[in-house]
């Protein structure tokens, strides 16, 4: 093989690649925030005794978990404006789609955490006069959330990797900038190798944080 490696293309264009990293972090962080809120609400609704809450939550989770994230991303970008009459920017579409799909997976984690709490505690809360809402808020969730720490952060890592799909909409995140640089500099091996290293470092850092948080706060199930 007579290919001459030249990683100087990465160093020369570090500002351009850094801009992609900033967009990735922006999209991922906002998606994580909204996904956490959605996951908590939908997860609690999923275990509700009232079908008016449980049924929509079940449908939401089923639809989002059983359709590809890429399809959801494209649907939000192209179909949502038709239904609402409002234009959706590529970045907004990416955040909406990732928030919804992340929320669906986090909702299942929330559901599992809630169901792991011993039913005897629910009965005890009822005997002292706590309402269903008070029982959930003051008794169940504080314990369940501790058990959800590690799965939550692991899901955050997955959402970070899913953010690369936003490149298909022209969002100038890590993957998009790497593709653009590869096309202009004709250095795909160097560019995409560096891209892989970036994702590896980001995901590894999150995984380390997950282990530390889990060991400190998570309770055994």
């Amino acid at each position: 093989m007579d290919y001459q490696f030249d990683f100087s293309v990465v160093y020369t264009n570090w500002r351009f690649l850094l801009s992609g990293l900033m967009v990735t972090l922006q999209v991922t962080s906002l998606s994580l925030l909204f996904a956490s809120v959605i996951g908590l609400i939908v997860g609690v609704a999923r275990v509700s005794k009232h079908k008016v809450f449980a049924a929509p939550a079940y449908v939401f989770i089923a639809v989002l978990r059983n359709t590809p994230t890429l399809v959801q991303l494209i649907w939000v970008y192209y179909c949502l404006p038709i239904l609402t009459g409002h234009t959706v920017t590529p970045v907004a579409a990416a955040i909406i789609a990732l928030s919804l799909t992340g929320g669906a997976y986090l909702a299942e984690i929330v559901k599992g955490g809630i169901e792991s709490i011993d039913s005897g505690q629910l009965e005890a809360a009822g005997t002292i006069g706590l309402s269903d809402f008070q029982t959930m808020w003051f008794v169940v969730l504080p314990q369940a959330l501790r058990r959800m720490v590690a799965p939550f952060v692991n899901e955050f890592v997955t959402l970070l990797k899913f953010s690369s799909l936003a490149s298909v909409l022209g969002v100038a995140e890590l993957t998009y900038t790497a593709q653009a640089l590869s096309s202009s500099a004709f250095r795909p091996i160097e560019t995409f190798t560096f891209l892989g290293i970036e994702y590896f470092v980001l995901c590894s850092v999150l995984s380390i944080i997950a282990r530390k948080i889990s060991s400190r706060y998570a309770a055994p199930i």
Side-chain angles (χ1 to χ4, degrees), residues 126-142:
T127 59
I128 63 175
L130 294 182
S131 65
D132 289 343
F133 175 80
Q134 291 173 322
T135 300
M136 179 62 69
W137 187 256
F138 295 110
V139 178
V140 177
L141 282 180

Side-chain angles (χ1 to χ4, degrees), residues 163-183:
S163 68
S164 63
L165 297 175
S167 62
V168 302
L169 301 182
V171 177
E173 44 73 68
L174 275 176
T175 303
Y176 183 89
T177 54
Q179 290 174 329
L181 180 58
S182 172
S183 299

Side-chain angles (χ1 to χ4, degrees), residues 3-220:
Y3 185 87
Q4 299 296 318
F5 291 94
D6 182 11
F7 282 93
S8 64
V9 65
V10 173
Y11 175 76
T12 305
N13 296 276
W14 70 269
R15 288 187 178 86
F16 179 60
L17 295 172
L18 180 62
S19 68
L21 174 61
M22 293 299 103
V23 174
T24 289
L25 294 178
Q26 177 191 17
V27 170
T28 303
S29 59
L30 288 175
S31 299
L32 292 177
L33 174 62
F34 296 135
S36 298
V37 175
I38 293 171
L40 182 60
I41 294 173
V42 176
V44 172
R46 181 69 182 87
V47 297
S48 174
K49 300 176 183 178
H50 306 287
K51 290 186 178 181
V52 67
F53 298 120
Y58 173 81
V59 173
F60 175 86
I61 294 172
V63 170
L64 270 298
R65 291 191 65 184
N66 292 299
T67 53
T69 304
L70 180 59
V71 172
Q72 298 166 15
L73 195 68
I74 295 174
W75 191 94
V76 169
Y77 183 64
Y78 289 105
C79 300
L80 199 58
I82 297 174
L83 297 176
T84 64
H86 297 285
T87 303
V88 179
T89 65
V91 172
I95 293 173
I96 292 172
L98 293 175
S99 298
L100 292 175
T101 189
Y105 282 94
L106 291 177
E108 280 293 281
I109 295 174
V110 172
K111 174 179 175 290
I114 292 174
E115 291 179 339
S116 71
I117 303 303
D118 188 88
S119 60
Q121 298 194 38
L122 306 182
E123 297 171 0
T127 59
I128 63 175
L130 294 182
S131 65
D132 289 343
F133 175 80
Q134 291 173 322
T135 300
M136 179 62 69
W137 187 256
F138 295 110
V139 178
V140 177
L141 282 180
Q143 300 179 74
L145 287 174
R146 290 172 61 86
R147 304 182 181 190
M148 301 176 203
V149 171
F152 255 60
V153 182
N154 288 334
E155 189 59 39
F156 294 167
V157 173
T158 300
L159 204 56
L160 171 63
K161 291 185 285 187
F162 277 170
S163 68
S164 63
L165 297 175
S167 62
V168 302
L169 301 182
V171 177
E173 44 73 68
L174 275 176
T175 303
Y176 183 89
T177 54
Q179 290 174 329
L181 180 58
S182 172
S183 299
S184 62
F186 303 103
R187 289 289 174 179
I189 296 179
E190 293 88 339
T191 304
F192 287 107
T193 298
F194 182 72
L195 175 65
I197 292 173
E198 284 184 290
Y199 275 112
F200 175 79
V201 171
L202 288 172
C203 293
S204 296
V205 169
L206 280 176
S207 297
I208 292 172
I209 293 173
R211 288 196 296 269
K212 289 186 177 296
I213 294 178
S214 180
S215 61
R216 181 169 182 177
Y217 296 106

